[in-house]
Each structure stands twice: as structure tokens, then as C-alpha cells.
Amino acid sequence: AQKVTQAQTEISVVEKEDVTLDCVYETRDTTYYLFWYKQPPSGELVFLIRRNSFDEQNEISGRYSWNFQKSTSSFNFTITASQVVDSAVYFCALSPQGGSEKLVFGKGTKLTVNP
Amino acid sequence: NAGVTQTPKFQVLKTGQSMTLQCAQDMNHEYMSWYRQDPGMGLRLIHYSVGAGITDQGEVPNGYNVSRSTTEDFPLRLLSAAPSQTSVYFCASSYSIGTGGPFGQYFGPGTRLTVT
């Protein structure tokens, strides 16, 4: 069975702080994909990143970075110098190879960035 | 491209009523899915389709029906609404690039359904 755990239900930081959102996954597949989505207060789901299981390189996009470690089955997301606009619920998700029609989501982490 | 569209945006139903949530995509994606989002539960898969004429159940299919007669449309039918189906429903579409695996799902704006 596939499972995604986001142990942090809510995080509150002050603007300009760095924050890391944790994601731990379980799967027996050797090939799989991991995703992060952002859901701002307006409610839409915004795709942030996709990473396949063969690519353990860290990725940086502006203030966002992702750390994928197969050894610990983790795919953590760090926001550097957080801003109020980063306030949202963030979801980590897992998909088997060829299974992009059936993502398994974590329960999400609500991030509040205070001015 | 309009992407993934969903109608209606909001709906209130009485227990026992039936209705269809509409979902359409104009990206020629093979795969389409329905999820429901409940507070503290993340998103859970209801039904999905890997192409026209092919559908399958997800994690929480009870009380819902789907069909996929065209590539573009994937309606979700509530057969006899119950208060437990009060939720936000998201439709998504995606495609795989050859054997390269999933490219990523594109989500519609959601339908907020209340069953009283």
C-alpha cells in the first residue's frame, strides 16, 4: 500500500524565517513519483514540483528547495526567507509509475507566515 | 487553453437528491480523476479513468458513479446524496509522456458541495 505522512499539521512562522515542511512516504514500487502542491486560501491546487524515484538531486527554484532522500523515504520542502504570500496548505503526494491518474496525498501542512 | 473546468462551483443538495458534477479538460489528457477534500484528510481519490470508456474505483468510491464517453469529459454522479458527501470535489487530468511516467496532474478549481 502507498502512504504519505505529513506529520506537521500546522506551522506558524514570522516573515523572513526559513521553514521546512516534512514529507515521509511508503511504497513498495521501485519506480514512483513525488509531488508537492500548494493550496492558497483561495482554494485552488497549484503544482510545485515533480520528482521521480531515480533522481535524488536536490532542486532549488527561487526561495523554494526540495530535499529527496530515498534512504529515509523523505521528500522535504524548504521555503527560504518566507513571505506572507507563502501562507497556504501544502500537500505532498505520491504516484506509482504510469499512475498519474491516482495520486496518494498526505493530509497537508498548513503554513501561516505572519508579518 | 481553459485547462480543467468544473461546474457548478457551489451546490446545496437535500439528502436523497441526485446530481452530476461536471468536469471537462481541453488539454487532450488521457487520464482524469476525481478527488474529494475533507478537513484534515487531504485529498482522497474517488474514481479515475485512463481513457475514454475505461474507469476504475479509487479509495472512496461508494455513493458515486462515473463514466467517460469522451476524452474531454468526466462527470461524477452522486446517486443519492448523504450528509457524509459534504465536501470539496476536485477533478484532475494528466498524461504520461511515453514510458517516462506521470507528468503531473492539473486540477480544476473545485466544487463545494453541501448536503443537508
PDB file of all heavy atoms in Angstrom, chain B residues 11-38:
ATOM      1  N   GLN B  11     -22.860  24.044  -4.651  1.00  0.00           N
ATOM      2  CA  GLN B  11     -24.126  23.340  -4.779  1.00  0.00           C
ATOM      3  C   GLN B  11     -24.608  22.919  -3.407  1.00  0.00           C
ATOM      4  O   GLN B  11     -23.815  22.443  -2.590  1.00  0.00           O
ATOM      5  CB  GLN B  11     -23.973  22.099  -5.666  1.00  0.00           C
ATOM      6  CG  GLN B  11     -25.268  21.336  -5.929  1.00  0.00           C
ATOM      7  CD  GLN B  11     -26.196  22.094  -6.834  1.00  0.00           C
ATOM      8  OE1 GLN B  11     -25.818  22.600  -7.873  1.00  0.00           O
ATOM      9  NE2 GLN B  11     -27.453  22.177  -6.415  1.00  0.00           N
ATOM     10  N   VAL B  12     -25.903  23.105  -3.161  1.00  0.00           N
ATOM     11  CA  VAL B  12     -26.528  22.607  -1.944  1.00  0.00           C
ATOM     12  C   VAL B  12     -27.576  21.583  -2.349  1.00  0.00           C
ATOM     13  O   VAL B  12     -28.419  21.871  -3.208  1.00  0.00           O
ATOM     14  CB  VAL B  12     -27.178  23.746  -1.128  1.00  0.00           C
ATOM     15  CG1 VAL B  12     -27.836  23.180   0.116  1.00  0.00           C
ATOM     16  CG2 VAL B  12     -26.142  24.795  -0.741  1.00  0.00           C
ATOM     17  N   LEU B  13     -27.521  20.429  -1.751  1.00  0.00           N
ATOM     18  CA  LEU B  13     -28.471  19.354  -2.050  1.00  0.00           C
ATOM     19  C   LEU B  13     -29.168  18.927  -0.775  1.00  0.00           C
ATOM     20  O   LEU B  13     -28.614  19.063   0.326  1.00  0.00           O
ATOM     21  CB  LEU B  13     -27.753  18.129  -2.615  1.00  0.00           C
ATOM     22  CG  LEU B  13     -27.190  18.158  -4.019  1.00  0.00           C
ATOM     23  CD1 LEU B  13     -26.512  16.828  -4.333  1.00  0.00           C
ATOM     24  CD2 LEU B  13     -28.288  18.445  -5.035  1.00  0.00           C
ATOM     25  N   LYS B  14     -30.348  18.378  -0.942  1.00  0.00           N
ATOM     26  CA  LYS B  14     -31.012  17.747   0.191  1.00  0.00           C
ATOM     27  C   LYS B  14     -30.681  16.250   0.168  1.00  0.00           C
ATOM     28  O   LYS B  14     -30.434  15.665  -0.899  1.00  0.00           O
ATOM     29  CB  LYS B  14     -32.513  17.953   0.096  1.00  0.00           C
ATOM     30  CG  LYS B  14     -32.953  19.391   0.285  1.00  0.00           C
ATOM     31  CD  LYS B  14     -34.468  19.458   0.417  1.00  0.00           C
ATOM     32  CE  LYS B  14     -35.020  20.862   0.450  1.00  0.00           C
ATOM     33  NZ  LYS B  14     -34.300  21.810   1.253  1.00  0.00           N
ATOM     34  N   THR B  15     -30.686  15.658   1.328  1.00  0.00           N
ATOM     35  CA  THR B  15     -30.419  14.224   1.428  1.00  0.00           C
ATOM     36  C   THR B  15     -31.347  13.460   0.492  1.00  0.00           C
ATOM     37  O   THR B  15     -32.563  13.704   0.456  1.00  0.00           O
ATOM     38  CB  THR B  15     -30.637  13.751   2.874  1.00  0.00           C
ATOM     39  OG1 THR B  15     -29.678  14.413   3.711  1.00  0.00           O
ATOM     40  CG2 THR B  15     -30.427  12.259   2.998  1.00  0.00           C
ATOM     41  N   GLY B  16     -30.765  12.546  -0.265  1.00  0.00           N
ATOM     42  CA  GLY B  16     -31.539  11.718  -1.180  1.00  0.00           C
ATOM     43  C   GLY B  16     -31.580  12.234  -2.608  1.00  0.00           C
ATOM     44  O   GLY B  16     -31.906  11.476  -3.526  1.00  0.00           O
ATOM     45  N   GLN B  17     -31.256  13.492  -2.819  1.00  0.00           N
ATOM     46  CA  GLN B  17     -31.249  14.028  -4.171  1.00  0.00           C
ATOM     47  C   GLN B  17     -30.040  13.494  -4.930  1.00  0.00           C
ATOM     48  O   GLN B  17     -29.034  13.096  -4.342  1.00  0.00           O
ATOM     49  CB  GLN B  17     -31.199  15.559  -4.150  1.00  0.00           C
ATOM     50  CG  GLN B  17     -32.493  16.219  -3.728  1.00  0.00           C
ATOM     51  CD  GLN B  17     -32.438  17.727  -3.820  1.00  0.00           C
ATOM     52  OE1 GLN B  17     -31.440  18.356  -3.468  1.00  0.00           O
ATOM     53  NE2 GLN B  17     -33.529  18.318  -4.297  1.00  0.00           N
ATOM     54  N   SER B  18     -30.148  13.522  -6.231  1.00  0.00           N
ATOM     55  CA  SER B  18     -29.017  13.121  -7.070  1.00  0.00           C
ATOM     56  C   SER B  18     -28.565  14.323  -7.889  1.00  0.00           C
ATOM     57  O   SER B  18     -29.328  15.274  -8.099  1.00  0.00           O
ATOM     58  CB  SER B  18     -29.416  11.981  -8.003  1.00  0.00           C
ATOM     59  OG  SER B  18     -30.438  12.404  -8.879  1.00  0.00           O
ATOM     60  N   MET B  19     -27.320  14.282  -8.320  1.00  0.00           N
ATOM     61  CA  MET B  19     -26.825  15.350  -9.180  1.00  0.00           C
ATOM     62  C   MET B  19     -25.531  14.903  -9.846  1.00  0.00           C
ATOM     63  O   MET B  19     -24.941  13.886  -9.463  1.00  0.00           O
ATOM     64  CB  MET B  19     -26.586  16.639  -8.413  1.00  0.00           C
ATOM     65  CG  MET B  19     -25.309  16.703  -7.629  1.00  0.00           C
ATOM     66  SD  MET B  19     -24.770  18.400  -7.313  1.00  0.00           S
ATOM     67  CE  MET B  19     -24.434  19.016  -8.951  1.00  0.00           C
ATOM     68  N   THR B  20     -25.144  15.653 -10.844  1.00  0.00           N
ATOM     69  CA  THR B  20     -23.911  15.367 -11.578  1.00  0.00           C
ATOM     70  C   THR B  20     -22.981  16.567 -11.501  1.00  0.00           C
ATOM     71  O   THR B  20     -23.384  17.689 -11.802  1.00  0.00           O
ATOM     72  CB  THR B  20     -24.204  15.048 -13.050  1.00  0.00           C
ATOM     73  OG1 THR B  20     -25.041  13.887 -13.123  1.00  0.00           O
ATOM     74  CG2 THR B  20     -22.916  14.781 -13.811  1.00  0.00           C
ATOM     75  N   LEU B  21     -21.753  16.315 -11.073  1.00  0.00           N
ATOM     76  CA  LEU B  21     -20.710  17.329 -11.123  1.00  0.00           C
ATOM     77  C   LEU B  21     -19.990  17.180 -12.462  1.00  0.00           C
ATOM     78  O   LEU B  21     -19.549  16.084 -12.814  1.00  0.00           O
ATOM     79  CB  LEU B  21     -19.710  17.142  -9.982  1.00  0.00           C
ATOM     80  CG  LEU B  21     -20.268  17.066  -8.560  1.00  0.00           C
ATOM     81  CD1 LEU B  21     -19.126  17.009  -7.548  1.00  0.00           C
ATOM     82  CD2 LEU B  21     -21.177  18.235  -8.261  1.00  0.00           C
ATOM     83  N   GLN B  22     -19.870  18.296 -13.165  1.00  0.00           N
ATOM     84  CA  GLN B  22     -19.268  18.249 -14.486  1.00  0.00           C
ATOM     85  C   GLN B  22     -17.779  18.579 -14.418  1.00  0.00           C
ATOM     86  O   GLN B  22     -17.333  19.403 -13.631  1.00  0.00           O
ATOM     87  CB  GLN B  22     -19.968  19.244 -15.426  1.00  0.00           C
ATOM     88  CG  GLN B  22     -21.452  19.018 -15.598  1.00  0.00           C
ATOM     89  CD  GLN B  22     -21.761  17.730 -16.354  1.00  0.00           C
ATOM     90  OE1 GLN B  22     -20.892  17.127 -16.996  1.00  0.00           O
ATOM     91  NE2 GLN B  22     -23.016  17.288 -16.273  1.00  0.00           N
ATOM     92  N   CYS B  23     -17.015  17.912 -15.263  1.00  0.00           N
ATOM     93  CA  CYS B  23     -15.585  18.170 -15.391  1.00  0.00           C
ATOM     94  C   CYS B  23     -15.203  18.037 -16.855  1.00  0.00           C
ATOM     95  O   CYS B  23     -15.584  17.061 -17.510  1.00  0.00           O
ATOM     96  CB  CYS B  23     -14.769  17.191 -14.552  1.00  0.00           C
ATOM     97  SG  CYS B  23     -12.979  17.365 -14.801  1.00  0.00           S
ATOM     98  N   ALA B  24     -14.463  19.007 -17.350  1.00  0.00           N
ATOM     99  CA  ALA B  24     -14.001  18.960 -18.737  1.00  0.00           C
ATOM    100  C   ALA B  24     -12.574  19.487 -18.806  1.00  0.00           C
ATOM    101  O   ALA B  24     -12.190  20.374 -18.046  1.00  0.00           O
ATOM    102  CB  ALA B  24     -14.912  19.793 -19.635  1.00  0.00           C
ATOM    103  N   GLN B  25     -11.800  18.918 -19.736  1.00  0.00           N
ATOM    104  CA  GLN B  25     -10.434  19.403 -19.962  1.00  0.00           C
ATOM    105  C   GLN B  25     -10.181  19.514 -21.459  1.00  0.00           C
ATOM    106  O   GLN B  25     -10.706  18.724 -22.242  1.00  0.00           O
ATOM    107  CB  GLN B  25      -9.395  18.492 -19.283  1.00  0.00           C
ATOM    108  CG  GLN B  25      -9.491  17.028 -19.608  1.00  0.00           C
ATOM    109  CD  GLN B  25      -8.604  16.563 -20.742  1.00  0.00           C
ATOM    110  OE1 GLN B  25      -7.764  17.326 -21.259  1.00  0.00           O
ATOM    111  NE2 GLN B  25      -8.753  15.303 -21.134  1.00  0.00           N
ATOM    112  N   ASP B  26      -9.364  20.486 -21.810  1.00  0.00           N
ATOM    113  CA  ASP B  26      -9.106  20.725 -23.237  1.00  0.00           C
ATOM    114  C   ASP B  26      -7.636  20.536 -23.569  1.00  0.00           C
ATOM    115  O   ASP B  26      -7.121  21.145 -24.517  1.00  0.00           O
ATOM    116  CB  ASP B  26      -9.594  22.125 -23.632  1.00  0.00           C
ATOM    117  CG  ASP B  26      -8.885  23.236 -22.870  1.00  0.00           C
ATOM    118  OD1 ASP B  26      -8.025  22.927 -22.018  1.00  0.00           O
ATOM    119  OD2 ASP B  26      -9.196  24.411 -23.112  1.00  0.00           O
ATOM    120  N   MET B  27      -6.947  19.718 -22.782  1.00  0.00           N
ATOM    121  CA  MET B  27      -5.519  19.501 -22.991  1.00  0.00           C
ATOM    122  C   MET B  27      -5.238  18.138 -23.629  1.00  0.00           C
ATOM    123  O   MET B  27      -4.088  17.717 -23.714  1.00  0.00           O
ATOM    124  CB  MET B  27      -4.795  19.618 -21.642  1.00  0.00           C
ATOM    125  CG  MET B  27      -4.906  21.015 -21.050  1.00  0.00           C
ATOM    126  SD  MET B  27      -4.257  21.140 -19.364  1.00  0.00           S
ATOM    127  CE  MET B  27      -5.615  20.435 -18.428  1.00  0.00           C
ATOM    128  N   ASN B  28      -6.285  17.438 -24.029  1.00  0.00           N
ATOM    129  CA  ASN B  28      -6.166  16.114 -24.642  1.00  0.00           C
ATOM    130  C   ASN B  28      -5.463  15.116 -23.715  1.00  0.00           C
ATOM    131  O   ASN B  28      -4.739  14.228 -24.182  1.00  0.00           O
ATOM    132  CB  ASN B  28      -5.429  16.199 -25.990  1.00  0.00           C
ATOM    133  CG  ASN B  28      -5.753  15.019 -26.895  1.00  0.00           C
ATOM    134  OD1 ASN B  28      -6.860  14.478 -26.842  1.00  0.00           O
ATOM    135  ND2 ASN B  28      -4.792  14.612 -27.703  1.00  0.00           N
ATOM    136  N   HIS B  29      -5.683  15.277 -22.416  1.00  0.00           N
ATOM    137  CA  HIS B  29      -5.077  14.356 -21.453  1.00  0.00           C
ATOM    138  C   HIS B  29      -5.810  13.028 -21.459  1.00  0.00           C
ATOM    139  O   HIS B  29      -7.039  12.968 -21.528  1.00  0.00           O
ATOM    140  CB  HIS B  29      -5.144  14.952 -20.045  1.00  0.00           C
ATOM    141  CG  HIS B  29      -4.136  16.020 -19.821  1.00  0.00           C
ATOM    142  ND1 HIS B  29      -4.167  16.851 -18.717  1.00  0.00           N
ATOM    143  CD2 HIS B  29      -3.052  16.391 -20.529  1.00  0.00           C
ATOM    144  CE1 HIS B  29      -3.149  17.680 -18.772  1.00  0.00           C
ATOM    145  NE2 HIS B  29      -2.463  17.432 -19.864  1.00  0.00           N
ATOM    146  N   GLU B  30      -5.023  11.949 -21.355  1.00  0.00           N
ATOM    147  CA  GLU B  30      -5.641  10.622 -21.315  1.00  0.00           C
ATOM    148  C   GLU B  30      -6.316  10.363 -19.967  1.00  0.00           C
ATOM    149  O   GLU B  30      -7.361   9.751 -19.887  1.00  0.00           O
ATOM    150  CB  GLU B  30      -4.571   9.547 -21.507  1.00  0.00           C
ATOM    151  CG  GLU B  30      -3.738   9.677 -22.762  1.00  0.00           C
ATOM    152  CD  GLU B  30      -2.446   8.878 -22.600  1.00  0.00           C
ATOM    153  OE1 GLU B  30      -2.522   7.708 -22.178  1.00  0.00           O
ATOM    154  OE2 GLU B  30      -1.372   9.430 -22.893  1.00  0.00           O
ATOM    155  N   TYR B  31      -5.636  10.808 -18.907  1.00  0.00           N
ATOM    156  CA  TYR B  31      -6.067  10.419 -17.576  1.00  0.00           C
ATOM    157  C   TYR B  31      -6.904  11.519 -16.934  1.00  0.00           C
ATOM    158  O   TYR B  31      -6.573  12.695 -17.029  1.00  0.00           O
ATOM    159  CB  TYR B  31      -4.855  10.159 -16.673  1.00  0.00           C
ATOM    160  CG  TYR B  31      -3.926   9.069 -17.128  1.00  0.00           C
ATOM    161  CD1 TYR B  31      -2.611   9.022 -16.662  1.00  0.00           C
ATOM    162  CD2 TYR B  31      -4.334   8.076 -18.012  1.00  0.00           C
ATOM    163  CE1 TYR B  31      -1.752   8.024 -17.064  1.00  0.00           C
ATOM    164  CE2 TYR B  31      -3.472   7.079 -18.414  1.00  0.00           C
ATOM    165  CZ  TYR B  31      -2.188   7.054 -17.945  1.00  0.00           C
ATOM    166  OH  TYR B  31      -1.327   6.070 -18.339  1.00  0.00           O
ATOM    167  N   MET B  32      -7.964  11.095 -16.255  1.00  0.00           N
ATOM    168  CA  MET B  32      -8.767  12.040 -15.470  1.00  0.00           C
ATOM    169  C   MET B  32      -9.162  11.376 -14.161  1.00  0.00           C
ATOM    170  O   MET B  32      -9.308  10.147 -14.088  1.00  0.00           O
ATOM    171  CB  MET B  32     -10.016  12.487 -16.248  1.00  0.00           C
ATOM    172  CG  MET B  32      -9.678  13.295 -17.499  1.00  0.00           C
ATOM    173  SD  MET B  32     -11.112  13.972 -18.336  1.00  0.00           S
ATOM    174  CE  MET B  32     -11.518  15.366 -17.271  1.00  0.00           C
ATOM    175  N   SER B  33      -9.331  12.209 -13.140  1.00  0.00           N
ATOM    176  CA  SER B  33      -9.592  11.677 -11.803  1.00  0.00           C
ATOM    177  C   SER B  33     -10.517  12.609 -11.039  1.00  0.00           C
ATOM    178  O   SER B  33     -10.581  13.803 -11.334  1.00  0.00           O
ATOM    179  CB  SER B  33      -8.274  11.572 -11.008  1.00  0.00           C
ATOM    180  OG  SER B  33      -7.276  10.912 -11.743  1.00  0.00           O
ATOM    181  N   TRP B  34     -11.195  12.031 -10.051  1.00  0.00           N
ATOM    182  CA  TRP B  34     -11.985  12.807  -9.105  1.00  0.00           C
ATOM    183  C   TRP B  34     -11.469  12.556  -7.700  1.00  0.00           C
ATOM    184  O   TRP B  34     -11.235  11.401  -7.297  1.00  0.00           O
ATOM    185  CB  TRP B  34     -13.464  12.408  -9.160  1.00  0.00           C
ATOM    186  CG  TRP B  34     -14.242  13.076 -10.236  1.00  0.00           C
ATOM    187  CD1 TRP B  34     -14.625  12.551 -11.435  1.00  0.00           C
ATOM    188  CD2 TRP B  34     -14.765  14.405 -10.214  1.00  0.00           C
ATOM    189  NE1 TRP B  34     -15.341  13.468 -12.156  1.00  0.00           N
ATOM    190  CE2 TRP B  34     -15.446  14.615 -11.430  1.00  0.00           C
ATOM    191  CE3 TRP B  34     -14.728  15.448  -9.286  1.00  0.00           C
ATOM    192  CZ2 TRP B  34     -16.083  15.822 -11.746  1.00  0.00           C
ATOM    193  CZ3 TRP B  34     -15.356  16.646  -9.590  1.00  0.00           C
ATOM    194  CH2 TRP B  34     -16.027  16.821 -10.803  1.00  0.00           C
ATOM    195  N   TYR B  35     -11.303  13.654  -6.958  1.00  0.00           N
ATOM    196  CA  TYR B  35     -10.897  13.593  -5.569  1.00  0.00           C
ATOM    197  C   TYR B  35     -11.908  14.356  -4.725  1.00  0.00           C
ATOM    198  O   TYR B  35     -12.565  15.278  -5.199  1.00  0.00           O
ATOM    199  CB  TYR B  35      -9.532  14.265  -5.370  1.00  0.00           C
ATOM    200  CG  TYR B  35      -8.377  13.595  -6.070  1.00  0.00           C
ATOM    201  CD1 TYR B  35      -8.090  13.899  -7.402  1.00  0.00           C
ATOM    202  CD2 TYR B  35      -7.561  12.677  -5.418  1.00  0.00           C
ATOM    203  CE1 TYR B  35      -7.018  13.303  -8.051  1.00  0.00           C
ATOM    204  CE2 TYR B  35      -6.492  12.082  -6.067  1.00  0.00           C
ATOM    205  CZ  TYR B  35      -6.233  12.397  -7.382  1.00  0.00           C
ATOM    206  OH  TYR B  35      -5.170  11.801  -8.014  1.00  0.00           O
ATOM    207  N   ARG B  36     -11.972  13.978  -3.457  1.00  0.00           N
ATOM    208  CA  ARG B  36     -12.711  14.795  -2.505  1.00  0.00           C
ATOM    209  C   ARG B  36     -11.758  15.258  -1.419  1.00  0.00           C
ATOM    210  O   ARG B  36     -10.809  14.540  -1.055  1.00  0.00           O
ATOM    211  CB  ARG B  36     -13.907  14.045  -1.919  1.00  0.00           C
ATOM    212  CG  ARG B  36     -13.607  12.799  -1.162  1.00  0.00           C
ATOM    213  CD  ARG B  36     -14.881  12.171  -0.571  1.00  0.00           C
ATOM    214  NE  ARG B  36     -15.375  12.955   0.575  1.00  0.00           N
ATOM    215  CZ  ARG B  36     -16.524  12.723   1.200  1.00  0.00           C
ATOM    216  NH1 ARG B  36     -17.312  11.749   0.788  1.00  0.00           N
ATOM    217  NH2 ARG B  36     -16.905  13.469   2.222  1.00  0.00           N
ATOM    218  N   GLN B  37     -11.993  16.468  -0.944  1.00  0.00           N
ATOM    219  CA  GLN B  37     -11.149  17.026   0.097  1.00  0.00           C
ATOM    220  C   GLN B  37     -12.006  17.358   1.309  1.00  0.00           C
ATOM    221  O   GLN B  37     -12.953  18.157   1.227  1.00  0.00           O
ATOM    222  CB  GLN B  37     -10.438  18.302  -0.375  1.00  0.00           C
ATOM    223  CG  GLN B  37      -9.511  18.869   0.682  1.00  0.00           C
ATOM    224  CD  GLN B  37      -8.781  20.122   0.240  1.00  0.00           C
ATOM    225  OE1 GLN B  37      -9.162  20.772  -0.736  1.00  0.00           O
ATOM    226  NE2 GLN B  37      -7.710  20.454   0.928  1.00  0.00           N
ATOM    227  N   ASP B  38     -11.666  16.735   2.410  1.00  0.00           N
ATOM    228  CA  ASP B  38     -12.347  16.980   3.676  1.00  0.00           C
ATOM    229  C   ASP B  38     -11.345  17.539   4.672  1.00  0.00           C
ATOM    230  O   ASP B  38     -10.162  17.204   4.609  1.00  0.00           O
ATOM    231  CB  ASP B  38     -12.958  15.677   4.197  1.00  0.00           C
ATOM    232  CG  ASP B  38     -13.929  15.066   3.206  1.00  0.00           C
ATOM    233  OD1 ASP B  38     -14.952  15.726   2.940  1.00  0.00           O
ATOM    234  OD2 ASP B  38     -13.654  13.977   2.686  1.00  0.00           O
TER     235      ASP B  38
END
